[in-house]
Amino acid sequence: MAVHAHPDDEATGTGGVFAKAAAEGIRTVLVTCTDGRCGDGPGGVKPGDAAHDVDAVVKVRAGELERSTKVLGIDVVEQLGYHDSGMMGWDTNTLPGAFWNTPVAEAAARLADLMRTHRPDVVVTYDANGVYGHPDHIQAHRITMAAVELLAGEPWQPAKVYWSSPPYSQMKMWGDLTREFGTEEEKAGMEKMEAEMNAALARGDRLPMGLPDEELTTWVDVKPWNQQKFDALSAHASQSDSAQMLALGVERFGAMMGVETFQRVGAAPGAPRETDLFEGLER
């Protein structure tokens, strides 16, 4: 079971492990927490634009999610139905129904019930910073960990819990690709970002996105399922973030996104690196 914030998130950080699990006959469940209403609208209309039609966006993204999950072979899709909160600091963060504005205990209780129903051996969500600080990603992390806590005293609970997060080394790969294929504006933005990242690392600070390579316990090679992952992301064609990755083309996309990385919750320091989420579990 992977707990994601928006339609399309299932394809980026876990599309490969979903497709891999399906190929191996492992039952898979996706929980999508929000309706994606703060995404791009038809024609690329951005949130805040007078022409941004929330109902149209929700409808389009629901159809995209359905197509993506079919490509990845996901068996069950559960939708919590909260409103997309938008980026941190947007007015939409505090609107009624926004996921970020929902009490953690309330959403966690609903998620715990889904876990009791599906009984996943492995649960995946984002790291504590939601990978890059998105409020809905952070909230998905919070409710997942709270749901797992609710199950702690019960006869059944997940065998393993993981946080999905990219390694710092992947940031360098993005920089290299941007310098080779990006527009001048994208190159300038990446140059500024890299300078800020290097300064942060020199100070010993954490970066605003991802985790240090050495903190990631599990590196899963999903290159054999690259086409499925690419096609799943392609199903979310309405979103500009997806378009940036798809512009790499299938081969470069596979080189960049062909290994999915995770931190296993509670892993012993210095434990051998895992290559599969189900390592050590009976199939």
Side-chain angles (χ1 to χ4, degrees):
M1 174 186 283
V3 183
H4 280 294
H6 312 101
D8 77 3
D9 291 330
E10 79 288 340
T12 50
T14 57
V17 292
F18 265 131
K20 180 177 185 292
E24 294 172 353
I26 296 170
R27 185 170 181 269
T28 55
V29 179
L30 167 67
V31 179
T32 301
C33 297
T34 81
D35 57 9
R37 65 179 52 206
C38 289
D40 297 347
V45 177
K46 300 294 183 183
D49 191 303
H52 188 266
D53 183 336
V54 168
D55 292 336
V57 173
V58 170
K59 183 177 180 180
V60 167
R61 299 201 74 179
E64 291 177 337
L65 180 64
E66 182 179 2
R67 290 190 290 277
S68 171
T69 55
K70 285 182 179 177
V71 168
L72 296 175
I74 295 174
D75 293 295
V76 179
V77 180
E78 300 279 9
Q79 299 188 59
L80 296 185
Y82 295 109
H83 294 177
D84 186 343
S85 309
M87 300 300 288
M88 191 69 82
W90 288 12
D91 291 344
T92 47
N93 293 174
T94 56
L95 290 178
F99 189 37
W100 184 243
N101 199 32
T102 300
V104 169
E106 174 191 314
R110 294 181 61 198
L111 181 58
D113 282 342
L114 290 177
M115 291 181 180
R116 292 184 185 102
T117 296
H118 296 293
R119 295 188 168 226
D121 294 303
V122 171
V123 171
V124 178
T125 190
Y126 313 101
D127 63 39
N129 189 45
V131 178
Y132 64 97
H134 193 296
D136 288 333
H137 289 221
I138 294 171
Q139 188 78 329
H141 168 89
R142 290 174 176 172
I143 74 163
T144 302
M145 300 313 294
V148 170
E149 271 300 307
L150 289 173
L151 299 171
E154 299 184 14
W156 172 87
Q157 52 195 288
K160 301 170 85 176
V161 179
Y162 288 95
W163 297 347
S164 170
S165 192
Y168 282 180
S169 58
Q170 194 177 61
M171 304 302 104
K172 182 181 184 303
M173 293 175 66
W174 271 119
D176 293 343
L177 284 169
T178 301
R179 277 184 286 275
E180 186 174 357
F181 301 105
T183 64
E184 291 306 313
E185 183 179 1
E186 289 169 342
K187 291 175 184 178
M190 179 58 70
E191 186 175 337
K192 179 182 178 183
M193 183 185 298
E194 286 182 327
E196 292 172 349
M197 289 167 54
N198 290 334
L201 291 172
R203 294 191 302 269
D205 294 344
R206 308 282 284 192
L207 296 183
M209 180 174 182
L211 291 172
D213 289 41
E214 62 272 14
E215 293 183 14
L216 293 163
T217 61
T218 311
W219 299 59
V220 185
D221 183 354
V222 296
K223 288 188 284 293
W225 299 274
N226 178 54
Q227 186 68 58
Q228 280 173 267
K229 184 172 177 174
F230 186 87
D231 291 346
L233 193 61
S234 298
H236 297 283
S238 70
Q239 303 307 301
S240 57
D241 287 350
S242 299
Q244 291 174 358
M245 286 187 276
L246 296 172
L248 296 171
V250 177
E251 290 187 14
R252 285 196 296 269
F253 177 86
M256 181 71 194
M257 308 291 286
V259 176
E260 293 177 350
T261 51
F262 307 85
Q263 184 182 78
R264 181 181 174 186
V265 177
R273 179 181 287 186
E274 294 180 321
T275 59
D276 189 279
L277 298 181
F278 295 87
E279 202 164 296
L281 301 181
E282 291 186 13
R283 298 297 182 105

